[in-house]
């Protein structure tokens, strides 16, 4: 995949392997309840699945993996679950960051950090700094993130930076201010857990992504389940507004 600006500007050519995969990891609570365990047991197990998926993406030479770990709406959960998740993020980062670094993985957190406690913010900063120059997989964790929040914060920054352009802004003006300005748009979106929604995740960037929904609960999303998602992606015809016939003709961006 060769574009880094909006898909509506520079039209990419479909690839066999997605270069950017975005995932909503849903179903941890239900996985735990089915086993008469507290919901948080599902989150704990979910971390292991994250690590397996990261490894699979490295093995497949996928450039970008973006995971929705905590939405702006997840603060509405019971306080003890929120605090368990925050603690899980801190401990997970502390435990895994050295291994990510050894594997040349760059870690980036996207989302509004202002509500996180000081320990989590510090741990995020340490992890990002350590892995900043890595050139392998870019692993983005979306936490306290929402697609609408992202678009609005980008619009505000763009407006402050270039007030003289008001009324004439286009996609290229906005792109550098979006949280994921450093990545190509996702080729493949995966949601586990049976719901068929985007739930305010990467609203701008998912415009042309192939959407894949599976009933598999996140803690059960193993290598076989991931391979099914990849196979489904490989069977899609990515047209980006072109006709099927045009896809077999030489490429032009016009
Ligand atoms: C959704 O399942 C899952 C979450 C809100 C949390 C996801 C977090 C992890 C898997 C831990 C990963 C951590 C890092 C650092 C990447 P749910 O609780 O909504 O499940 P349900 O729909 O069955 O209730």
């Amino acid at each position: 995949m060769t574009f880094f600006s909006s898909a509506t500007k520079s039209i990419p050519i479909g690839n066999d392997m997605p270069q950017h995969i975005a995932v909503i990891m849903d179903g941890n609570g239900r996985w735990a309840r089915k086993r008469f365990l507290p919901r948080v047991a599902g989150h704990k197990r979910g971390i292991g699945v994250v690590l397996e998926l990261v490894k699979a993406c490295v093995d497949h030479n996928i450039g970008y993996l973006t995971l929705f770990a905590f939405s702006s709406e997840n603060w509405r959960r019971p306080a003890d679950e929120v605090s368990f998740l925050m603690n899980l993020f801190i401990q997970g980062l502390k435990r895994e960051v050295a291994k990510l670094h050894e594997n040349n993985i760059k870690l980036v957190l996207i989302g509004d950090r202002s509500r996180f406690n000081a320990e989590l913010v510090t741990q995020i900063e340490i992890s990002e700094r350590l892995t900043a120059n890595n050139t392998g997989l870019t692993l983005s964790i979306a936490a306290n993130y929402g697609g609408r929040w992202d678009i609005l914060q980008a619009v505000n920054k763009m407006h402050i930076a270039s007030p003289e352009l008001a009324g004439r802004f286009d996609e290229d003006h906005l792109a550098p201010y979006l949280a994921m300005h450093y990545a190509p748009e996702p080729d493949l979106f995966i949601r586990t857990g049976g719901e068929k929604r985007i739930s305010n995740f990467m609203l701008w960037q998912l415009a042309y992504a192939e959407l894949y929904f599976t009933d598999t609960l996140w803690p059960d999303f193993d290598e076989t389940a991931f391979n099914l998602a990849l196979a489904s992606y490989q069977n899609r015809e990515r047209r980006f507004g072109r006709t099927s016939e045009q896809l077999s003709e030489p490429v032009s961006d016009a």
Side-chain angles (χ1 to χ4, degrees):
M1 203 63 59
T2 51
F3 74 98
F4 274 76
S5 60
S6 165
T8 54
K9 286 273 170 191
S10 171
I11 300 177
I13 311 156
N15 249 356
D16 279 352
M17 197 52 85
Q19 260 317 289
H20 184 173
I21 302 180
V23 186
I24 294 186
M25 310 177 286
D26 200 7
N28 292 348
R30 278 165 285 160
W31 181 92
R33 288 180 67 115
K34 270 169 62 178
R35 287 160 181 78
F36 305 102
L37 295 168
R39 290 176 51 81
V40 293
H43 298 319
K44 211 166 157 189
R45 161 113 178 184
I47 286 259
V49 176
V50 167
L51 298 174
E52 288 300 313
L53 180 61
V54 167
K55 187 172 175 306
C57 287
V58 170
D59 291 347
H60 285 293
N61 219 4
I62 287 163
Y64 298 83
L65 174 65
T66 303
L67 304 174
F68 206 3
F70 194 87
S71 74
S72 326
E73 292 73 33
N74 284 152
W75 297 105
R76 297 178 190 150
R77 295 190 171 208
D80 56 350
E81 184 173 337
V82 170
S83 117
F84 181 93
L85 278 168
M86 293 300 143
N87 208 36
L88 197 65
F89 297 152
I90 295 170
Q91 300 311 325
L93 285 173
K94 277 190 181 159
R95 206 177 46 238
E96 303 301 336
V97 71
K99 211 183 296 161
L100 296 178
H101 185 46
E102 267 168 38
N103 286 284
N104 197 23
I105 295 167
K106 177 174 175 164
L107 185 80
V108 185
L109 185 120
I110 58 165
D112 178 3
R113 302 176 191 196
S114 62
R115 267 184 89 174
F116 294 153
N117 68 36
E119 190 183 6
L120 180 53
V121 173
T122 305
Q123 196 52 51
I124 290 166
E125 287 170 358
I126 291 171
S127 309
E128 286 184 329
R129 217 174 303 129
L130 178 69
T131 63
N133 296 321
N134 290 344
T135 54
L137 174 73
T138 297
L139 172 61
S140 304
I141 308 286
N144 197 17
Y145 171 90
R148 291 181 180 177
W149 164 83
D150 189 13
I151 294 169
L152 277 175
Q153 65 82 26
V155 167
N156 282 319
K157 283 184 186 152
M158 175 182 73
H159 197 268
I160 290 166
S162 313
E164 71 286 0
L165 290 177
R168 288 180 290 126
F169 289 118
D170 65 24
E171 293 180 15
D172 286 342
H173 291 120
L174 188 73
Y177 300 103
L178 289 163
M180 294 214 62
H181 57 86
Y182 54 86
E185 293 175 8
D187 308 294
L188 172 62
F189 162 90
I190 299 173
R191 181 174 188 148
T192 64
E195 308 290 356
K196 293 180 178 62
R197 283 192 292 274
I198 291 178
S199 297
N200 199 17
F201 188 37
M202 299 183 77
L203 293 181
W204 180 278
Q205 298 88 343
L206 288 173
Y208 285 88
E210 296 297 332
L211 307 181
Y212 179 82
F213 299 95
T214 171
D215 289 338
T216 303
L217 304 175
W218 179 251
D220 292 326
F221 191 76
D222 57 10
E223 195 182 345
T224 308
F226 181 48
N227 286 338
L228 282 175
L230 291 177
S232 167
Y233 173 81
Q234 285 161 346
N235 282 326
R236 312 276 177 101
E237 182 181 70
R238 307 197 74 202
R239 295 204 297 272
F240 302 101
R242 293 191 183 93
T243 65
S244 279
E245 292 70 29
Q246 283 175 300
L247 292 181
S248 50
E249 293 165 4
V251 181
S252 122
D253 268 1

